[in-house]
Amino acid sequence: MLTAANTLRVTRVSSVRVESPTVKTFTFKDKLCAKARPGQFIMIWIPGVDEIPLSIMNVEKGEVSVAVKAVGEATCALHGMKVGDKVGVRGPFGSYFTETPGRVLLVGGGTGVAPLLFLAKRLSARAKRLALVMGAKTKSELLFLDQFTALCTAKSMIAATEDGSYGLKCLATEPVETLLKKENFDMIYACGPEPMVRQIFLIAEKYVIPIEASLERLMRCGLGLCGSCMIGKYRVCKDGPVFNATQLREVKDELGVSKLDFDGKRIRF
Amino acid sequence: MRGNSLSINIAGLQLKNPVILASGILGYTSASLQSIAENGVGAVVTKSIGLKPRSGYSNPTVVQTKCGLINAMGLPNPGIDAYASEIRQAKALLTVPLIVSVYGFSAEEYAETARRAVEAGADAVELNVSCPHVKETGVEIGQNPEVLVEVVRKVKAVVGKPVIVKLSPNVTDIAELAEAAADAGADALTAINTLRAMAIDIETARPILSNKRGGLSGPAIKPIALRCVYDLYEKVKIPLIGCGGITDWRDAVEFLLAGASAVQVGTAVALKSPAVFKAINRGVSAYLRKKKLESVKDLVGLAHRS
């Protein structure tokens, strides 16, 4: 069907917040996106530049927020935007996290923590236990520390940096395995670079814990039509971006190993 | 019996049913073609493949309008070198015919790409002489009868499998091009590709697609495609494949009645789901039973009697 979600709406940036030297959070009004569930994404059109997929970080009072790291032409152009500037929005699109209210472990890498923050807000009152492992290259790239601390309590929050500038000096995978050796969880929710997601998935399998992971691929149409974002038989934009353990098992050979490039050629991570 | 009633042969391609995945939709990988095949298609057509890799246009590449989708992907593809292995893998997985869509910037490029697609295992090739948004290929080839004839002849000279020509509606007289392709040796025709179109955002006063112009697909173009098929059925003897805005079994039956031996479905995969293929086949089957017809072949061109 021709749906309202697929239709491009133009809206204005209502607030910009600097989260780190490379990450800003953008908020804008959009009624449809404000109904999104944690894990879903939107397509943002930067007029005259590009249109890119972004995970939703929060929805509140008819507004939607996304955390954006300046890495390429589109994200740098977005970083140059001010309150009142116009962007186009499509979505919300895709699958979402199940919001299991048991003992929950969140694992995020880099800006992958953004949808997990949205999820943590929904779960904090309901989950029996809410623990978070977040990883980043360096201290300044650990995002939303205060908000996560408030939601998970300081005791249940483990940070890891590759350069050891904050928390543990290791990848996010190490503290995850340490935690799982000590206690049981009902669900792991993961989001971050795909090689990290792969490792977390393998650990979850080893300890026989259900996992849902949000994946990111090159996206064009966002409608499940063009095939640019395929992983195995799945379309990340339509069947994903959140996949459960059964689906991740089906795409294990590709997960964190290879993906399609702009020209549809398979490249390695 | 039900399966048999839907089977049809098109230029030597034996299809278990007349519903084909249109080019450009999910056609990059063998895994996605196989996934579509599991949804009950009669055959699959790949994304258009050229001699060299192409990245396509930057986003937005698709925009939804009130009456359909406009796309300008820009023919992103890995080139036949890299794609040959995908064709081989797809052939190993698929139990339905694999049609490789081919484009080129010259007759020689079409021929070389087609030859290598068939060498890798393609059961047929579909010549994209109708893409409306890339310069010096697609419709710029398919709108000129002399150039089109040269392309079809050169491909036919090097390919031993059926050659299907996908025609554009963005021409003065589609029948003239259809006859030229048929005379040059095309084994079947697909009608139609998308219609040249665009969308402008009124807030920013900018064209939405990065390429500005694209091709309109979806329900809006169905009556146009249907008229094209009806016209072509009266002009050419080779089999026709209807394409354009087909979203349900009623649409498919209309195209068969107009003279198509099969139909292709693309946009409906996104607007509905990949389950659309099964749904169309179920509907066509039920229609045949209700009309007390034995085979889908009995429908082809039926609207032309009297």
Side-chain angles (χ1 to χ4, degrees):
Chain A
M1 296 302 105
L2 299 169
T3 66
N6 294 346
T7 308
L8 182 80
R9 291 90 67 186
V10 169
T11 179
R12 285 172 195 275
V13 175
S14 57
S15 79
V16 182
R17 220 179 88 155
V18 177
E19 307 287 358
S20 84
T22 58
V23 177
K24 287 182 182 178
T25 297
F26 294 85
T27 301
F28 35 82
K29 264 202 174 58
D30 187 73
K31 278 183 190 156
L32 273 174
C33 288
K35 289 180 193 152
R37 313 254 318 245
Q40 289 193 294
F41 72 97
I42 55 178
M43 296 295 291
I44 297 258
W45 178 46
I46 305 118
V49 183
D50 204 345
E51 186 194 43
I52 53 169
L54 289 166
S55 280
I56 295 169
M57 189 202 92
N58 196 30
V59 301
E60 217 171 330
K61 294 178 193 135
E63 293 195 317
V64 57
S65 301
V66 288
V68 184
K69 183 170 182 169
V71 286
E73 195 193 358
T75 49
C76 288
L78 202 48
H79 267 238
M81 286 193 154
K82 302 177 299 292
V83 170
D85 285 349
K86 288 170 185 165
V87 292
V89 189
R90 292 192 292 140
F93 292 129
S95 60
Y96 39 82
F97 294 115
T98 50
E99 299 183 34
T100 298
R103 298 172 58 80
V104 171
L105 173 61
L106 309 172
V107 185
T111 47
V113 295
L116 298 180
L117 180 63
F118 186 12
L119 178 65
K121 284 180 182 174
R122 294 283 169 98
L123 286 177
S124 65
R126 289 158 51 203
K128 281 202 198 88
R129 169 151 163 67
L130 190 60
L132 168 78
V133 173
M134 73 153 83
K137 285 205 159 56
T138 186
K139 182 186 174 187
S140 63
E141 296 302 324
L142 287 167
L143 301 171
F144 316 118
L145 275 174
D146 296 348
Q147 293 184 66
F148 274 119
T149 308
L151 292 164
C152 307
T153 76
K155 215 172 59 189
S156 299
M157 223 186 72
I158 302 164
T161 52
E162 286 175 37
D163 64 2
S165 53
Y166 187 90
L168 305 167
K169 187 184 177 181
C170 59
L171 296 171
T173 43
E174 275 187 39
V176 169
E177 187 141 20
T178 312
L179 258 181
L180 297 186
K181 274 180 192 158
K182 286 192 304 202
E183 60 175 310
N184 191 35
F185 285 91
D186 298 314
M187 179 63 87
I188 297 173
Y189 295 109
C191 184
E194 211 173 293
M196 180 207 93
V197 170
R198 176 183 181 82
Q199 294 310 317
I200 301 300
F201 165 70
L202 295 175
I203 294 169
E205 291 286 271
K206 182 175 159 191
Y207 290 89
V208 201
I209 294 169
I211 181 169
E212 291 177 12
S214 170
L215 304 183
E216 186 185 3
R217 290 285 171 115
L218 166 72
M219 280 182 195
R220 283 197 176 91
C221 71
L223 306 174
L225 181 143
C226 72
S228 301
C229 64
M230 300 302 299
I231 180 166
K233 64 177 185 178
Y234 294 113
R235 304 166 290 178
V236 173
C237 73
K238 192 91 176 180
D239 306 312
V242 176
F243 293 97
N244 63 29
T246 310
Q247 294 169 313
L248 294 171
R249 252 169 247 143
E250 287 172 314
V251 300
K252 200 171 138 187
D253 292 346
E254 259 188 69
L255 183 69
V257 175
S258 70
K259 60 180 175 179
L260 298 180
D261 202 359
F262 277 95
D263 55 11
K265 192 184 283 177
R266 187 160 296 286
I267 53 166
R268 298 189 78 81
F269 271 96
Chain B
M1 188 63 205
R2 206 173 120 185
N4 291 343
S5 72
L6 289 176
S7 75
I8 193 151
N9 188 297
I10 296 174
L13 282 181
Q14 189 59 45
L15 310 190
K16 63 183 179 187
N17 69 64
V19 189
I20 301 171
L21 171 72
S23 179
I25 311 300
L26 299 172
Y28 275 125
T29 66
S30 51
S32 84
L33 290 168
Q34 168 63 5
S35 159
I36 291 289
E38 282 166 7
N39 278 286
V41 296
V44 292
V45 187
T46 67
K47 275 209 181 268
S48 290
I49 305 299
L51 202 53
K52 298 201 179 81
R54 254 181 83 91
S55 293
Y57 302 132
S58 55
N59 264 2
T61 45
V62 176
V63 57
Q64 182 185 274
T65 70
K66 283 175 196 158
C67 61
L69 302 178
I70 307 174
N71 89 82
M73 292 285 170
L75 297 172
N77 81 97
I80 190 66
D81 266 349
Y83 202 71
S85 66
E86 211 65 49
I87 294 173
R88 281 189 285 270
Q89 284 174 34
K91 270 309 288 174
L93 287 168
L94 291 170
T95 54
V96 299
L98 172 68
I99 303 166
V100 174
S101 173
V102 165
Y103 76 90
F105 292 99
S106 66
E108 289 73 23
E109 280 193 23
Y110 274 97
E112 179 59 8
T113 309
R115 187 188 66 75
R116 286 162 70 179
V118 169
E119 189 181 75
D123 297 303
V125 291
E126 181 181 83
L127 305 182
N128 178 351
V129 291
S130 42
C131 169
H133 52 69
V134 176
K135 287 194 167 60
E136 291 168 33
T137 183
V139 66
E140 292 194 19
I141 301 272
Q143 68 191 3
N144 181 323
E146 286 97 65
V147 181
L148 179 60
V149 162
E150 192 201 351
V151 167
V152 176
R153 284 209 179 119
K154 289 216 158 119
V155 172
K156 280 296 289 180
V158 294
V159 161
K161 299 277 180 169
V163 173
I164 303 162
V165 175
K166 185 168 181 177
L167 297 169
S168 171
N170 303 303
V171 293
T172 310
D173 181 11
I174 192 172
E176 181 193 3
L177 283 316
E179 287 176 309
D183 291 347
D187 299 288
L189 302 172
T190 300
I192 55 176
N193 205 316
T194 55
L195 277 91
R196 279 205 185 108
M198 78 181 298
I200 292 174
D201 170 55
I202 60 167
E203 291 302 321
T204 55
R206 281 174 181 277
I208 296 173
L209 294 172
S210 75
N211 188 57
K212 298 180 178 70
R213 299 165 187 87
L216 177 66
S217 66
I221 75 166
K222 196 209 88 183
I224 299 167
L226 189 68
R227 187 272 303 165
C228 288
V229 168
Y230 191 88
D231 283 356
L232 296 188
Y233 188 77
E234 293 179 342
K235 295 278 178 152
V236 295
K237 297 269 186 297
I238 55 177
L240 304 172
I241 301 169
C243 180
I246 295 162
T247 54
D248 61 26
W249 68 267
R250 289 179 182 85
D251 293 338
V253 168
E254 266 192 274
F255 273 86
L256 296 166
L257 295 172
S261 298
V263 294
Q264 291 183 356
V265 177
T267 301
V269 176
L271 298 183
K272 290 184 159 179
S273 84
V276 68
F277 297 106
K278 260 184 202 141
I280 290 175
N281 278 317
R282 264 200 308 270
V284 174
S285 256
Y287 176 82
L288 289 173
R289 280 198 302 277
K290 193 178 144 204
K291 293 289 179 186
K292 300 198 166 38
L293 293 168
E294 271 180 27
S295 163
V296 76
K297 298 178 200 83
D298 302 332
L299 293 178
V300 178
L302 203 58
H304 290 265
R305 79 204 143 157
S306 83

